Amino acid sequence: MSGALLSTRGLSKRFDGLQAVTEVDFDLARGEVRALIGPNGAGKTTLVGMICGRVAPSAGTILFDGEDITGLPAHRRIRRGMAYTFQITSVFAGLSVHENVALAARRRLTGAVRVDAAVSEALARVGLSDRSEEEAGNLSYGHQRLLEIAMGLVQAPRLLILDEPTQGLSDGEIEGFKALIREVREQAAILLIEHNMHVVMELADRVTVLNFGTVLAEGTPAQIHENRAVQAAYLGTG
């Protein structure tokens, strides 16, 4: 795709004889919300791990903003504007909510005033302003997920990768999350790994379906919903 923010070509990974991902070609445009779905064991986590730099590919290339980043370590991909909620922004249970986000903010900002302002903004965006001084370990699971999102947002990424972000959220919090994604897409492309199909269908511009490590289908949410191969492999309606 011309002008894609993220592109992979022939991306593959083999673990001790197991072919986890096979020759995936993938393009993500600037400002796009792309959902990545598929059954358990389809290769989603491995694919995202290669994109983030946590898993070395066996073959293929990864381009980010036109630059070949296939051999770059994860921390250098972060500096180029990539954030991943699980592997970049782990929650430190013994630190306050504010301190967790501040640690992430310092990846790009210096000065206590600038950091504090960015932290306050990020917490407000995810609805955790009133939990700022609470220990992160005391948050509910759903609120810890929101904290991870705040830690991603405070880095002002160009690509935000969210792995199962609505897991553990209440219905009201899911509505807030959807509003947040619609706002964030104005500044960043979003890759969303999500099992909640209502969220996928409402938020995604396009959906990529993985099955047995290969791309089974790609298209708009409506096209994916009507795809018979996807229905049989994943949606359970075939």
Side-chain angles (χ1 to χ4, degrees):
M1 179 184 294
S2 176
L5 178 64
L6 174 74
S7 296
T8 73
R9 290 295 178 268
L11 201 59
S12 302
K13 181 61 181 180
R14 176 179 289 273
F15 293 105
D16 297 326
L18 171 67
Q19 191 70 36
V21 173
T22 303
E23 296 186 355
V24 169
D25 294 345
F26 180 85
D27 293 293
L28 179 66
R30 292 169 176 82
E32 181 182 2
V33 178
R34 174 72 65 87
L36 179 63
I37 68 171
N40 291 333
K44 302 185 298 296
T45 298
T46 301
L47 176 61
V48 168
M50 289 190 286
I51 291 171
C52 294
R54 300 290 177 171
V55 176
S58 303
T61 58
I62 305 167
L63 298 179
F64 186 62
D65 201 15
E67 178 186 3
D68 188 337
I69 63 167
T70 310
L72 286 186
H75 70 274
R76 292 182 62 185
R77 300 186 195 202
I78 297 170
R79 291 176 190 163
R80 282 165 171 74
M82 193 180 289
Y84 178 36
T85 55
F86 271 169
Q87 297 180 7
I88 292 172
T89 60
S90 57
V91 169
F92 295 94
L95 298 180
S96 72
V97 168
H98 184 281
E99 289 167 331
N100 268 274
V101 183
L103 284 174
R106 293 188 189 104
R107 294 183 184 275
R108 71 177 182 93
L109 297 173
T110 58
V113 173
R114 293 181 70 200
V115 168
D116 284 347
V119 171
S120 295
E121 179 185 357
L123 290 176
R125 293 176 82 179
V126 301
L128 290 179
S129 295
D130 60 342
R131 304 293 185 93
S132 178
E133 299 308 315
E134 189 170 339
E135 278 194 11
N138 292 335
L139 295 179
S140 68
Y141 179 74
H143 284 165
Q144 287 189 25
R145 304 309 299 272
L146 292 174
L147 173 56
E148 287 185 331
I149 294 171
M151 294 167 70
L153 290 176
V154 81
Q155 296 174 65
R158 290 185 291 162
L159 171 61
L160 180 62
I161 303 174
L162 301 174
D163 196 341
E164 298 291 344
T166 66
Q167 188 175 355
L169 299 186
S170 68
D171 290 345
E173 288 166 342
I174 289 175
E175 289 304 312
F177 169 79
K178 290 188 287 190
L180 175 64
I181 293 304
R182 294 184 181 107
E183 172 194 333
V184 171
R185 68 176 302 162
E186 300 299 321
Q187 294 90 38
I190 297 167
L191 178 56
L192 182 67
I193 301 94
E194 180 59 65
H195 277 103
N196 186 323
M197 292 306 297
H198 293 293
V199 171
V200 168
M201 293 299 168
E202 286 190 43
L203 290 180
D205 298 304
R206 292 179 65 78
V207 180
T208 298
V209 185
L210 281 190
N211 195 35
F212 296 112
T214 64
V215 176
L216 174 65
E218 202 166 69
T220 65
Q223 289 169 336
I224 293 302
H225 185 72
E226 297 300 323
N227 186 297
R228 289 184 178 274
V230 175
Q231 291 171 0
Y234 182 58
L235 298 180
T237 58

